[in-house]
Structures are given as structure tokens and as C-alpha cells.
């Protein structure tokens, strides 16, 4: 009589991941990954990860109580990034499933990108690049499109966690006055919006912060001010921002994140507002705050290490819940 080998725990990745993470896990787990294009829907995840000990999830995934009920062997939801607003943490906790994130690895990269967007927007980099590529540029001209100076201006940061503070530190090189607030502390939001030349959003997405920057708050921003979003798309009402740009009530808008990404909201728009995409004084990147080789490698390692912690019977160092 033969004994079948003991089944190894399964770690299932819902998206491609830098090899540092899967390589770290292979000594202890069978590593599998969704092989299809795009983002797997809950039905697909339930089918392909039914026997998973660990689900390594990413920003586009939406993990709710119904999906969790179909993953009976699951013991950890290991996140790839800082945000976990796409996970029902209470439902996971009730089922004895750890939820982890990576709170620190993306701070510098996201702060750097916030400044890239701010400077690119203020100095008209998008339109300048288009002019040169058009073949119409023949040299310096006194009537070239003018941008806006950044140095010496007032920067308002909404959300003053690690990323907000990193953005503020970079402002010192531009001799800027810095105002900051969270939803319950710091400079009052209305005052910050009225007083700032540049406003950067860097706060988590919660039900309280969803559409924080709506038509009412946009009225408090001076028409010469610029708004930059490196938080989550739904922190702003994109339709209201598009309308403000159309009527000249906002000098410019730059964003790395969009409402279409926030799948936990059934009423989110199904596409980026065409008026926003067509607006002249805008600059966009494709959720690229951590899109450097160094940052993605670190994210992958921390994500994988949280799985190894649970396998070893330890509380994961980056757990966001308690069991």
C-alpha cells in the first residue's frame, strides 16, 4: 500500500507578479497564477483558487464575503500595495483569514510620481512635448505657451500619512509653504482648498473620503490652482472635475488613479469621463505610483513574506486585521 505525498499549500496570484515574490514562495508552496488576460472576475478566482491557502491579490481585485465563502482553505489575503479598500476585511476576519498590505514600500515612488505630475502639469510638459513632436517647433519663441511657477507657492496636501509627508519633504526644495490635513486634523479642508496654489490628494479611499472633492469643494479652490490625485480615483468626482475644467474654474488636473478602478462601488462610471480625457490642462499616468523595478520587487517580497509568516504560524508583520 502506498501513501500519497502530502499536498503542498497553494499560493494563487491573481495577476503577474515580479519573480522575487513567487521565487521566495516556491520552497514552501505550489505557486499558481491566473493565466488569462485582464482582471479575473470573482467567479474565475473561485474556480481557479478553490484550494488556495493564500490568495495574492492586487489593486483591481474585488474580494467580498461571497467570494470568501467559496475559498474554504484560504488563510491569508496577501496584498500587493498599500490600499486594501477592495477587500471586505470584516468578512475575512470572521472567517479566520489574515489580510495584509505593504504599507511602506511604495511611499517614495508614489511621492516622486506626485511631483512628476505636479511639475509636468504646471509647466505644460504635455503640450510642449506635443508641439515638438508635431514638427512645428523651429526654436525659441516669445509667444510660446506659458506655464506656472512652482517655487515659492503654497502646496496643500490632503492626507498626511507616510506618502503625504514624503510629498511635503520634497516641497522644501521648492521653498514652498506647505499646508496639510486629514479628515479630522490639520488645516481645515476648506481653508486648505482656498489657500493652496497646488493641491495633492494622498489619502486612503473610504466611504467617508469618497467624492471628498466634489462640486461643492471644487468651488472653494481658486481658478488658478492645480489639483493632483495620487490617492484613489473615487476620492474625486471626476465628472465635477471635468465640468470645472470646462468652465475655467480649475487651472489643471493630473491623476494617476481613476474611478473606473474602484470596483467595490457598483455606481462607479464604466469609463473615464471623455470630457476629462479631452481637457487641455490635464496630465495622466496609468496607476504607476509603484511602477519602478525597485519598488515592484520590494512589494513582491513583502507580499510573499506575509504568506510565509502565516505558514509558519506567525502573525504577518503587515497584517491589517487581528485574529
Amino acid at each position: 500500500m502506498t501513501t500519497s505525498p502530502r499536498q503542498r499549500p497553494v499560493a494563487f496570484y491573481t495577476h503577474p507578479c515580479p519573480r522575487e515574490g513567487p521565487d521566495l514562495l516556491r520552497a514552501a508552496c505550489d505557486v499558481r497564477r491566473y493565466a488569462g488576460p485582464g482582471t479575473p472576475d470573482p467567479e474565475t478566482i473561485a474556480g481557479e483558487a478553490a484550494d488556495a491557502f493564500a490568495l495574492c491579490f492586487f489593486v483591481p481585485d474585488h474580494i467580498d464575503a461571497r467570494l470568501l465563502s467559496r475559498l474554504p482553505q484560504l488563510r491569508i489575503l496577501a496584498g500587493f500595495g498599500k490600499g486594501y479598500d477592495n477587500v471586505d476585511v470584516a468578512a475575512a476576519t470572521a472567517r479566520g483569514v489574515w489580510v495584509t498590505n505593504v504599507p511602506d514600500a511604495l511611499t517614495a515612488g508614489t511621492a516622486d510620481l506626485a511631483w512628476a505630475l505636479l511639475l509636468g502639469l504646471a509647466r505644460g510638459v504635455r503640450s510642449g512635448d506635443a508641439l515638438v513632436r508635431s514638427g512645428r517647433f523651429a526654436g525659441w519663441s516669445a509667444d510660446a505657451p506659458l506655464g506656472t511657477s512652482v517655487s515659492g507657492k503654497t502646496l496643500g496636501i490632503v492626507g498626511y500619512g507616510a506618502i503625504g509627508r514624503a510629498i511635503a519633504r520634497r516641497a522644501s526644495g521648492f521653498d514652498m509653504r506647505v499646508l496639510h490635513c486629514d479628515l479630522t486634523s490639520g488645516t481645515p479642508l476648506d481653508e486648505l482648498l482656498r489657500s493652496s496654489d497646488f493641491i495633492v490628494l494622498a489619502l486612503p479611499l473610504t466611504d467617508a473620503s469618497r467624492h471628498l472633492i466634489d462640486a461643492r469643494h471644487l468651488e472653494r479652490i481658486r481658478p488658478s490652482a492645480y489639483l493632483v490625485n495620487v490617492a484613489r480615483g473615487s476620492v474625486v468626482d471626476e465628472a465635477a472635475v471635468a465640468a470645472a475644467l470646462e468652465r475655467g474654474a480649475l487651472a489643471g488636473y493630473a491623476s494617476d488613479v481613476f474611478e473606473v478602478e474602484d470596483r467595490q462601488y457598483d455606481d462607479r462610471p464604466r469609463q473615464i469621463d471623455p470630457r476629462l480625457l479631452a481637457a487641455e490642462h490635464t496630465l495622466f499616468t496609468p496607476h504607476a505610483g509603484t511602477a519602478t523595478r525597485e519598488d515592484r520587487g520590494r512589494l513582491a517580497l513583502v507580499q510573499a513574506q506575509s504568506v510565509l509568516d502565516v505558514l509558519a504560524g506567525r502573525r504577518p508583520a503587515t497584517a491589517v486585521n487581528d485574529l
Side-chain angles (χ1 to χ4, degrees), residues 15-27:
H15 288 76
C17 182
R19 61 180 179 80
E20 290 92 334
D23 285 354
L24 182 62
L25 286 179
R26 284 194 177 94

Side-chain angles (χ1 to χ4, degrees), residues 2 11 77 106 111:
T2 59
L77 289 163
L106 72 169

Side-chain angles (χ1 to χ4, degrees), residues 76-88:
I76 177 171
L77 289 163
F80 186 85
K82 187 171 185 176
Y84 50 92
D85 47 82
N86 53 333
V87 176
D88 187 334

Side-chain angles (χ1 to χ4, degrees), residues 131-155:
L131 175 62
V132 173
R133 292 178 189 277
S134 72
R136 294 181 288 109
F137 177 72
W140 183 89
S141 171
D143 61 357
L146 299 179
T148 297
S149 296
V150 173
S151 296
K153 299 291 183 66
T154 297
L155 172 65

Side-chain angles (χ1 to χ4, degrees), residues 120-198:
L121 189 64
R123 296 305 303 269
V125 169
R126 173 188 161 197
S127 59
D129 179 83
L131 175 62
V132 173
R133 292 178 189 277
S134 72
R136 294 181 288 109
F137 177 72
W140 183 89
S141 171
D143 61 357
L146 299 179
T148 297
S149 296
V150 173
S151 296
K153 299 291 183 66
T154 297
L155 172 65
I157 303 171
V158 184
Y160 207 59
I163 293 173
R165 292 193 297 272
I167 292 168
R169 287 194 296 273
R170 286 154 175 74
S172 64
F174 293 89
D175 298 320
M176 299 185 85
R177 174 192 179 214
V178 176
L179 305 175
H180 63 83
C181 74
D182 289 308
L183 294 183
T184 58
S185 63
T187 303
L189 179 60
D190 282 358
E191 180 182 338
L192 182 148
L193 297 178
R194 284 194 298 266
S195 303
S196 299
D197 300 295
F198 298 92

